[in-house]
Amino acid sequence: MEIVKGMGLLISALVIFSLFSMKAPKGQKAMSGLANAAVASFLVEAIHKYIFGDFINIAFLGQVGSSSGSMGGVAAAVLVSLNMGVNPVFAVAAGIALGGMGILPGFIVGYLVGLVAPHIEKRLPAGIDVIVGVLLIAPLARFVAVQTAPILDGTMATIGTMILVAADQSPILMGFLLGGIMKVMCTSPLSSMALTAMLGLQGLAMGIAALACVGGSFTNGIVFKRLKFGDSSNIIGVMLEPLTQASIVTRNPIPIFGSNFLGGGLAGISAAFFGIVNNAPGTASPIPGLLAPFAFNDPLVLVKAIAFAIVGGIIGGYVGSSVYLLFKEKSYAILQEKIFNGLRRRRPERAFFGVRSRKEGAFN
């Protein structure tokens, strides 16, 4: 039941974000800004605080990481509204008013500013609009964030806790399910970094998510290579950062996402089997997912887990692409046969393409 609850809540959150991205006005631009905010804050925190600060003991870089990680809400408000085309002064005014707030309230504020700010500029004279705008937007942004933070953060924390409990109770099964879903998220236009940051995932669950993205990057490389999706630069790009190849991914969702779920799931099983933990939320991406766990695990054990995760990702890529190629080949053969039989019924006295076979009753 814990697995059902945890995965059910996670899938519900994914559905909500997907619908928002597809249906809300400028929803895709807002979600892109949220992903960029996760990179600007949590990626810097993961590498500088946990790797260079805690693991290598470089105090200055540790402070850089801590400072960046605490500014997730500010980064979200600024980058979401900027992505929606807001005046940069309004975007920064809204962002700096959210000091100490989380990334999800920052996202809500950034989206609201993206909708409201253009009306302020439209209705006020040039020059006055900036002064009045920042004086209105800053307190409005803080008010909205303070009012929504308990509900939003509490809801995400509940989902994250459910996933953590389920991962601890059934690690192998959750390794496959959570790893598969997170790798699909990592490759989709939605941000797995932003999602894991909002959920506050830590421990084994975050370790599964991180290694799923690492192993799944090889899944993407195999799929792009075997199905001829782009050239070598596209293959390298999708392995390092899947969002750079979003145009190809969205045109070929079935083979890519199907292979990703299998490859990410197998990589997640590796993380669960070796007990890999990751206490850096928001590092569900190939590069940070590879580096951040070194701060929390025995390096030798982690290297073994990464190796098996890569093997799992490669297996997922080969199996997924092979199934797709087989299905595509059979579908093409069935389509050819239907066209051939249709032509034969319509013009039985003439051979296909005008050439009669020597075999009785058959056409070439």
Side-chain angles (χ1 to χ4, degrees):
M1 285 305 300
E2 294 299 331
I3 294 176
V4 171
K5 291 177 184 177
M7 298 309 297
L9 289 172
L10 176 60
I11 292 173
S12 298
L14 295 180
V15 169
I16 291 172
F17 281 114
S18 298
L19 290 175
F20 176 87
S21 178
M22 293 185 293
K23 301 297 183 182
K26 298 184 178 180
Q28 185 60 58
K29 292 183 178 180
M31 291 302 298
S32 177
L34 178 62
N36 292 336
V39 172
S41 56
F42 297 120
L43 175 59
V44 176
E45 179 188 34
I47 303 303
H48 286 310
K49 178 182 177 181
Y50 297 111
I51 300 297
F52 292 112
D54 296 345
F55 189 62
I56 305 180
N57 294 318
I58 302 177
F60 171 73
L61 294 179
Q63 293 172 358
V64 171
S66 297
S67 176
S68 298
S70 66
M71 300 293 282
V74 175
V78 173
L79 291 174
V80 168
S81 52
L82 281 178
N83 257 31
M84 296 175 67
V86 169
N87 185 320
V89 178
F90 293 162
V92 173
I96 60 178
L98 301 187
M101 305 302 294
I103 191 172
L104 190 52
F107 169 70
I108 299 298
V109 167
Y111 184 70
L112 291 177
V113 171
L115 297 178
V116 171
H119 295 285
I120 295 177
E121 289 186 298
K122 185 177 180 180
R123 287 171 171 73
L124 294 176
I128 297 177
D129 59 343
V130 174
I131 298 173
V132 175
V134 296
L135 293 176
L136 288 175
I137 286 174
L140 176 63
R142 185 75 186 186
F143 176 79
V144 171
V146 169
Q147 295 301 314
T148 58
I151 299 174
L152 296 173
D153 292 342
T155 301
M156 288 298 172
T158 299
I159 299 174
T161 301
M162 283 287 185
I163 295 173
L164 290 173
V165 171
D168 290 335
Q169 291 185 354
S170 302
I172 300 300
L173 179 57
M174 279 300 293
F176 181 76
L177 295 176
L178 182 59
I181 290 177
M182 281 301 170
K183 184 53 199 173
V184 171
M185 278 288 296
C186 183
T187 306
S188 73
L190 299 176
S191 171
S192 55
M193 292 184 67
L195 179 66
T196 52
M198 290 186 293
L199 293 175
L201 286 189
Q202 293 185 356
L204 179 60
M206 192 62 234
I208 291 170
L211 288 202
C213 291
V214 174
S217 66
F218 289 84
T219 303
N220 281 330
I222 296 295
V223 170
F224 269 56
K225 178 68 174 179
R226 297 194 71 198
L227 301 185
K228 297 179 173 59
F229 294 155
D231 53 23
S232 58
S233 63
N234 298 112
I235 295 174
I236 295 172
V238 78
M239 292 182 69
L240 295 178
E241 179 47 66
L243 292 178
T244 62
Q245 308 301 317
S247 59
I248 297 178
V249 171
T250 53
R251 290 199 303 268
N252 305 277
I254 293 176
I256 293 176
F257 290 150
S259 302
N260 271 211
F261 186 83
L262 179 58
L266 294 176
I269 289 177
S270 174
F273 179 81
F274 286 97
I276 302 303
V277 298
N278 182 4
N279 293 325
T283 52
S285 188
I287 296 176
L290 176 66
L291 298 177
F294 278 98
F296 311 103
N297 300 274
D298 179 88
L300 182 59
V301 174
L302 179 58
V303 169
K304 292 179 182 178
I306 292 172
F308 279 98
I310 291 173
V311 171
I314 292 173
I315 292 173
Y318 268 105
V319 172
S321 58
S322 297
V323 170
Y324 179 76
L325 287 172
L326 180 62
F327 177 79
K328 185 177 179 180
E329 183 179 346
K330 287 187 175 181
S331 299
Y332 181 72
I334 292 172
L335 179 62
Q336 265 192 327
E337 184 178 355
K338 287 183 177 179
I339 294 175
F340 175 79
N341 290 337
L343 290 173
R344 186 176 181 181
R345 284 194 299 269
R346 290 180 183 178
R347 307 176 71 180
E349 75 285 354
R350 299 181 66 180
F352 192 49
F353 292 123
V355 180
R356 183 177 295 278
S357 172
R358 294 180 180 179
K359 295 183 179 179
E360 183 178 354
F363 294 85
N364 289 329

